[in-house]
Amino acid sequence: MSDKYKASIKLLVSGILIFLGSSTFTMAQETDSTVTDDLVFTEIGADTAVTPGDTLASANAGKSVKQDNISFAEAEKPVTTTDSSQQQQTLWETFIAGLFGGFLAFLMPCIFPMVPLTVSYFTKRAGSRQKGIGQALVYGLSIIVIYVALGLAITVIFGSAMLNELSASGWFNFAFFMLLVVFAVSFFGAFEITLPSSFVNKIDQKADTSKGLGGIFFMAASLALVSFSCTGPIIGTLLVQASSKGELLAPATGMFGFALALSLPFTLSAIFPGFLSSMPKSGGWLNTVKVCLGFLELALALKFLSAADLVWHWEWFDREIFLSLWIVIFVLMGLYILGKLKFSHDSDLPWISVPRLFFAVLSLSFAVYLVPGLWGAPVNILSGIAPPMNTQDFILSGSSSASISKAADFPSKVKYSEVLKAPVGFSPFFDLEEGLAYAKKVNKPILIDFTGHACVNCRKMEDKVWVDKAVGRLIKEEYVLIQLYVDERSVKMPKEKIHYSEILRRQTDDLGRWNGDFQASKYGSNSQPFYVLAGADLNPLVKPQGAIFDAKEYAAYLQSGLDKFHNK
């Protein structure tokens, strides 16, 4: 390999390593909190009282957050909660989703047939196999740089706070529902999503005329543009999912996983010729993969429609309708894989291969698995994706998890209950002051659950963890549950409670923004779910936590707060 290509490869590898190093450092530094640049949270002990009684002192007297008779300030030293493990888990999930999306994109008809052509081009252009390998490596790294740059652009344009705000927006969820439906229809073959031909031709000409590193980079850019009709919907879906998580680095992380999976086959085919010869030949199965992705896009789109329904309180897209549509989609996909359903661009299927049969069995079996959910079965695999159980019109099971046992002195109706629905089997308050007053009356600690209508992990916790007997008993019998929705926009706050939030950089004119400002200013976090075990002074008894999907671990967390409360 010539010194020229060695230097080029070293330069690109160094750039990738610097990017990964900076990303890792940022991941280590960031917490569940997202704060503005001019606000620094300083940690105080869980036992430190901010002020006696019900009032939390404010360092900025004019910026206190008021709710009825209690004045909550942007505390003198807000409690800092640093839990990077949950954030890193979210980023790993996004990275793996990106890898999966990249491998699926590679199987698209726009990309798969190009592998042997691209590899042979490098071999002929380089003049030797060694130089061809070097050019293929640069080509693969260029693909990674292009797609990571796209993810970073999303990060720079929106930022973490805006991504978190968008993920909880009804308009955001409805817009992406429509977008994913368009992507699905495109995969079904109704039309192709392409970039302007003049722009694509210019990049292609650059790839032909440029030499050295620049020419290879423009070849990678040409691949990204020419294959956009196939990869665009996958990239769009991945960016939508990454943005909806509210994590700052999620779009870039997802694009890195996507580009890595997409570039690996090109690079491996140049390094190991046997890899190329072992790949299956192009054929009608590529279009089958594309159409199946269309079915999956359509199913995923319903998740965003459900989120919009919950945020806007339409109350028509309930759990039964969602599951019915998913059952139909996966039955149709199974029939399509078997060749019983055909589109105009599909080739004839004279016989069924073994892989087709297994994929059809998988799709049809999944549809059958969803059927009991129509009568209230948990369907845990869809926890956080399907609408919550409290939207179910009919629950066949008469288990204790669905029954609500209230204390004799519990209010018959709580504030905002006409708008907000309680998780099945639980009796929460939705107003902080009302919940605090009741906690003082019964002398119990409070469990503040910062949640949201569009929060996936919040629904997973309620569907998978809160239904555990030990967890459910602790929440119902030992705590006063207060659920504070940070994305509730329909409940408007009275004028005396509206103030400008330095953290949200806007007025707290509705219940969601008021709750969000309180969470960020008092506890130094804007992620959901976020659980605070506290006494009447609102100071944490133990360190607040995000999602804990292990029921035993979550029960131990609740018990630790209860022990601290009784030992005070």
Side-chain angles (χ1 to χ4, degrees), residues 308-354:
D309 174 83
L310 292 171
V311 172
W312 285 337
H313 302 292
W314 289 339
E315 297 186 359
W316 67 266
F317 195 66
D318 56 22
R319 196 167 179 267
E320 291 98 329
I321 295 177
F322 180 93
L323 292 177
S324 297
L325 290 172
W326 268 57
I327 291 169
V328 171
I329 288 172
F330 280 94
V331 167
L332 290 176
M333 188 168 76
L335 294 176
Y336 174 80
I337 295 173
L338 291 174
K340 303 301 181 182
L341 178 68
K342 289 179 63 176
F343 291 94
S344 60
H345 55 279
D346 286 323
S347 56
D348 291 332
L349 189 64
W351 47 272
I352 303 296
S353 64
V354 174

Side-chain angles (χ1 to χ4, degrees), residues 410 427 429 432 435-449 473-482 532-542 557-568:
F410 193 88
S427 302
F429 291 92
L432 187 59
L436 275 176
Y438 181 76
K440 293 176 184 177
K441 178 180 177 181
V442 298
N443 191 30
K444 288 184 178 180
I446 59 174
L447 166 57
I448 305 178
D449 172 22
R473 184 192 65 80
L474 284 169
I475 295 177
K476 296 174 187 178
E477 299 178 7
E478 304 295 343
Y479 282 93
V480 173
L481 176 61
I482 303 176
V532 181
L533 309 181
D537 57 3
L538 294 179
N539 287 321
L541 298 166
V542 293
Y557 167 66
L558 295 175
Q559 187 62 49
S560 67
L562 187 63
D563 294 341
K564 198 69 175 290
F565 177 80
H566 289 305
N567 293 333
K568 287 182 68 174

Side-chain angles (χ1 to χ4, degrees), residues 75-95:
E76 188 172 335
K77 289 185 178 180
V79 177
T80 299
T81 57
T82 59
D83 187 7
S84 61
S85 60
Q86 182 182 349
Q87 182 193 32
Q88 290 182 4
Q89 180 183 359
T90 300
L91 292 176
W92 273 111
E93 291 172 354
T94 305
F95 175 75

Side-chain angles (χ1 to χ4, degrees), residues 484-558:
L484 300 182
Y485 280 81
V486 301
D487 57 0
E488 177 53 52
R489 302 286 177 252
S490 65
V491 177
K492 301 302 179 183
M493 304 302 288
K495 290 183 179 180
E496 63 270 16
K497 296 179 183 177
I498 299 175
H499 72 286
Y500 181 79
S501 168
E502 294 289 349
I503 297 174
L504 303 181
R505 296 186 183 277
R506 63 190 309 163
Q507 297 290 329
T508 57
D509 53 352
D510 58 49
L511 181 63
R513 294 193 178 100
W514 195 98
N515 290 335
D517 177 70
F518 171 66
Q519 179 189 359
S521 61
K522 171 60 182 167
Y523 301 112
S525 173
N526 76 339
S527 66
Q528 293 82 41
F530 189 74
Y531 304 108
V532 181
L533 309 181
D537 57 3
L538 294 179
N539 287 321
L541 298 166
V542 293
K543 181 181 178 181
Q545 296 290 336
I548 303 175
F549 295 118
D550 184 273
K552 291 183 178 179
E553 184 180 349
Y554 190 73
Y557 167 66
L558 295 175

Side-chain angles (χ1 to χ4, degrees), residues 240-269:
V240 168
Q241 282 290 85
S243 301
S244 67
K245 295 179 183 298
E247 293 290 351
L248 182 63
L249 289 175
T253 303
M255 284 295 95
F256 177 68
F258 176 88
L260 182 63
L262 186 61
S263 63
L264 273 178
F266 290 94
T267 305
L268 292 177
S269 297

